[in-house]
Amino acid sequence: MSTISRDEVARLAGLARIDLTDAELTRLAGELDVIVESVARVQEVATDDVPATSHPIPLTNVFRADVAEEPLTVEQALSGAPDAEDGRFSVPQILGEEA
Amino acid sequence: MSATTDLVPYDEAVDRYDPVLGIEVHVELGTVSKMFDGAPTEFGAPPNSQVTPVSLGLPGVLPSLNGKAVESAIRIGLALNCQIAELCRFARKNYFYPDIPKNFQTSQYDEPIAYDGWVEIELEDGTPVRIEIERAHMEEDAGKNTHVGGQAGRIHGAEYSLVDYNRAGIPLVEIVTKPITGTGARAPEVAAAYVRYLRDLFRALDVSEARMERGNVRADVNVSLRPSPDSPLGTRTETKNVNSFRSVERAVRYEVSRQAAVLDSGATVTQETRHWHEDTGITTPGRIKSDAEDYRYFPEPDLVPVAPSREWVAELHGTLPEVPAVRRKRLQGEWGFADAEMRDVVNAGAVDLIEATVAAGATPAAARKWWMGELARTAKTDGTDLEQLPITPEQIAELQGLVDSGRLNDKLARQVLAGVLAGEGSPEQVVAARGLEVVSDDGALVAAVDEALAAQPDIADKIRSGNLGPVGAIIGAVMKATRGQADAARVREIVLERVGQG
């Protein structure tokens, strides 16, 4: 029984900006299906009295003091940028999706 | 985007429809370092000079949570009468946009640090309005895009964009209301009063400078209309980044008028993000709002949960200041200011300054006179805020003390004030350095009067013969000779004594 459709994989790929071929979409739909089914089996045994785990190490409240560090220089910050202008990263035009 | 938008006059719109608001307010916390790294947070620094590899989302970096930011978020939550989570997590909100260098924003999703609160705000005429708070959560700010080419700064037609990541990673708290109903025609006023209430609260908590013009506080305003208060909620629009109280009010009015026209025409309101245009006072459509699942939220694996102990929460509760609106009412009573006077003081941002001046020994009336008079004019001329002026409330109290003790008259006091503002030191130091004290030594005054009488014998004769009209001329001469430092009333007495009319 397939729970993940090719269309869903295509939509997720679009959201994640991953370009997939038709063959890859089909293959990934099958592979994701296996993962989802495995998780579904875990969910069957995970009852309400088992809290969800997001971290394997039982730690909480790890805080840093509010102290400023020496930042990078502007030159260092921009050193890996393909293009820069006026101390800023230059990026291609952004079309139709202002956040 | 259509060139013209149909609008229904506001009064008609609220006559036919019941507006419902939802407001999201982002406040930048005033920490010295960012939310997840030690990059400094100085405002106005050169682009990309306040960044570390974490701010830039470089490969392999790990976040490290700023404890002060968590503390501020809890204090904000408590001040909003919220529950504070026993345990909460950060989550990744995934989307692609150049101002988010990691391709996700570290935020909170289903486990906000604070939830289920309320505040009671007051409209200008004193009407109380209760606003229910859904949640307050922690997240990080994004960088700043500048669109180059095309129409000045607008995204449409831009050829490329420049990104400054100084702001990326600055701690934010986002406060979300539950739907605000029952405001009727006063919806715009309620929205603005709520944002103002929060701004004042952030300042009272000392968690942010909360300067609207710097974008420290930004509001996203959701508006929907329904035929009547009994109807289900209508489709909402979200107008992003409205950054002044007046704009909040105008944006709500505009959306009510616009949506009423859409509904009147039989069409449906599109659920979307809209942009506010300060210059033209209109909103225009942005992107169609994504479903929450499009962000593919999941727990941030690089940060452990935050579990504030109840002891810590209680301790922070003990640090909460008096609610600003309550405090204002109390101070107005103590100071005996009229409503209009108090409103001016509040609007000028002088409440704290006057309170400190009074605490330093001045009367409320004198404190108000200085801050709302000479100093307000100076601030206006210099294009700055009262609190930015290089003078302290203690210095104002000291200056007023010199006036009260008779050592300075009003004119001299203004000169001393100018000296203090010019950085010449405390009022006492300026008095000493500039030699500005009122001359109260009778001997010196008698000598000056005699000199003035001798210099103008005609006038002296007239006064001697009982014509007191020209006394002013002699007083003027004495004031000039003493560089304004004489007590004019005392000079007059001495003049009359010396000519035998006293």
Side-chain angles (χ1 to χ4, degrees):
Chain A
M1 184 194 76
S2 179
T3 52
I4 298 284
S5 70
R6 277 182 86 256
D7 284 351
E8 280 172 306
V9 178
R11 180 169 160 277
L12 278 172
L15 286 172
R17 302 292 196 275
I18 299 171
D19 196 11
L20 296 177
T21 64
D22 277 357
E24 285 169 326
L25 285 177
T26 306
R27 179 168 61 80
L28 282 168
E31 289 179 4
L32 286 172
D33 227 27
V34 172
I35 296 170
V36 170
E37 274 170 27
S38 308
V39 173
R41 291 194 59 189
V42 173
Q43 269 172 341
E44 282 170 24
V45 292
T47 50
D48 287 348
D49 57 345
V50 182
T53 300
S54 60
H55 302 82
I57 308 163
L59 269 181
T60 57
N61 299 338
V62 178
F63 300 145
R64 170 178 62 79
D66 180 30
V67 177
E69 290 167 18
E70 195 60 35
L72 298 174
T73 64
V74 177
E75 292 69 33
Q76 286 171 329
L78 296 172
S79 61
D83 199 6
E85 188 178 309
D86 296 336
R88 282 172 278 204
F89 294 82
S90 181
V91 299
Q93 66 184 131
I94 306 159
L95 283 175
E97 43 180 302
E98 183 146 309
Chain B
M1 208 187 308
S2 61
T4 57
T5 305
D6 291 333
L7 298 175
V8 171
Y10 183 77
D11 294 340
E12 286 178 36
V14 290
D15 223 32
R16 287 203 288 279
Y17 298 100
D18 180 44
V20 177
L21 299 170
I23 304 173
E24 292 160 30
V25 169
H26 290 84
V27 55
E28 281 183 351
L29 301 178
T31 53
V32 300
S33 67
K34 290 186 180 177
M35 188 71 163
F36 301 115
D37 70 286
T41 56
E42 192 191 320
F43 180 84
N48 294 306
S49 67
Q50 310 277 292
V51 299
T52 65
V54 175
S55 312
L56 297 176
L58 297 183
V61 296
L62 287 171
S64 154
L65 181 56
N66 186 334
K68 174 83 179 171
V70 177
E71 178 187 300
S72 296
I74 294 173
R75 293 179 71 235
I76 289 171
L78 289 171
L80 299 172
N81 301 297
C82 285
Q83 304 295 311
I84 304 301
E86 301 259 357
L87 184 133
C88 65
R89 271 172 272 245
F90 285 95
R92 293 188 180 184
K93 179 180 182 180
N94 298 279
Y95 65 95
F96 293 85
Y97 202 67
D99 61 8
I100 289 281
K102 294 176 295 191
N103 291 338
F104 63 84
Q105 180 190 31
T106 308
S107 180
Q108 294 193 291
Y109 181 46
D110 52 353
E111 300 177 12
I113 189 150
Y115 54 93
D116 280 351
W118 57 269
V119 290
E120 187 172 286
I121 65 168
E122 203 171 79
L123 306 186
E124 265 195 30
D125 65 358
T127 307
V129 179
R130 185 178 159 110
I131 308 284
E132 304 288 337
I133 307 294
E134 171 87 26
R135 58 187 281 162
H137 69 256
M138 301 180 281
E139 60 184 29
E140 58 179 334
D141 210 342
K144 195 171 188 324
N145 291 327
T146 307
H147 306 300
V148 180
Q151 232 183 337
R154 295 275 166 81
I155 192 164
H156 298 285
E159 285 156 22
Y160 57 100
S161 298
L162 297 176
V163 196
D164 169 12
Y165 290 111
N166 282 354
R167 201 177 64 184
I170 289 192
L172 292 180
V173 171
E174 177 176 342
I175 297 158
V176 183
T177 65
K178 290 183 180 159
I180 303 168
T181 59
T183 62
R186 302 189 78 172
E189 216 185 316
V190 169
Y194 169 68
V195 178
R196 185 188 288 273
Y197 179 97
L198 290 187
R199 194 277 310 261
D200 292 347
L201 185 67
F202 301 143
R203 288 190 175 174
L205 287 165
D206 198 21
V207 294
S208 172
E209 282 189 62
R211 292 175 67 161
M212 307 292 288
E213 77 282 6
R214 287 188 175 180
N216 292 154
V217 180
R218 310 193 286 268
D220 299 340
V221 185
N222 292 271
V223 177
S224 67
L225 297 182
R226 52 184 176 175
S228 84
D230 305 324
S231 317
L233 296 179
T235 305
R236 70 192 162 87
T237 60
E238 179 181 14
T239 303
K240 304 282 274 187
N241 287 328
V242 193
N243 294 346
S244 75
F245 308 130
R246 196 172 120 73
S247 298
V248 167
E249 193 160 344
R250 288 167 75 206
V252 172
R253 278 183 85 89
Y254 181 85
E255 272 302 286
V256 168
S257 291
R258 188 190 68 81
Q259 291 184 18
V262 171
L263 296 172
D264 277 358
S265 74
T268 52
V269 172
T270 307
Q271 182 168 338
E272 64 190 354
T273 297
R274 297 183 69 87
H275 301 298
W276 168 247
H277 301 277
E278 187 68 51
D279 45 355
T280 48
I282 66 166
T283 67
T284 56
R287 70 196 151 95
I288 304 288
K289 201 149 171 55
S290 311
D291 297 334
E293 61 173 315
D294 280 358
Y295 290 124
R296 292 160 295 136
Y297 280 101
F298 62 86
E300 166 57 78
D302 291 337
L303 290 166
V304 300
V306 174
S309 73
R310 297 302 97 178
E311 292 73 28
W312 189 30
V313 171
E315 184 192 319
L316 292 177
H317 199 276
T319 69
L320 295 186
E322 189 177 12
V323 174
V326 173
R327 170 168 170 257
R328 243 175 254 150
K329 200 156 273 180
R330 171 177 64 76
L331 289 174
Q332 187 184 349
E334 287 174 16
W335 294 344
F337 290 178
D339 287 350
E341 289 173 343
M342 193 64 191
R343 195 163 53 236
D344 289 347
V345 166
V346 169
N347 291 337
V351 175
D352 293 351
L353 296 166
I354 290 176
E355 186 183 33
T357 308
V358 171
T363 63
R368 184 176 145 266
K369 184 196 77 180
W370 284 114
W371 288 107
M372 299 303 291
E374 201 72 11
L375 291 166
R377 277 191 291 279
T378 304
K380 196 174 173 202
T381 308
D382 297 355
T384 184
D385 296 328
L386 282 178
E387 59 198 21
Q388 307 293 325
L389 290 175
I391 192 162
T392 65
E394 291 72 22
Q395 289 171 331
I396 293 299
E398 184 186 334
L399 181 63
Q400 182 61 36
L402 293 172
V403 175
D404 293 342
S405 67
R407 288 177 59 197
L408 292 178
N409 57 26
D410 283 352
K411 188 178 162 210
L412 289 172
R414 281 197 294 277
Q415 292 179 34
V416 173
L417 183 73
V420 176
L421 288 169
E424 294 170 22
S426 72
E428 283 281 11
Q429 287 167 332
V430 174
V431 166
R434 290 198 183 187
L436 286 176
E437 208 151 350
V438 168
V439 176
S440 53
D441 169 7
D442 270 9
L445 288 181
V446 168
V449 167
D450 285 349
E451 204 171 299
L453 288 170
Q456 303 184 75
D458 298 355
I459 291 177
D461 285 344
K462 277 184 192 161
I463 300 172
R464 231 169 249 124
S465 64
N467 177 0
L468 300 186
V471 168
I474 299 297
I475 297 173
V478 172
M479 295 303 280
K480 198 175 170 193
T482 57
R483 290 181 302 152
Q485 285 166 251
D487 174 350
R490 181 70 192 126
V491 172
R492 182 185 174 85
E493 285 171 16
I494 294 172
V495 171
L496 297 181
E497 278 167 23
R498 299 304 283 174
V499 298
Q501 294 286 342

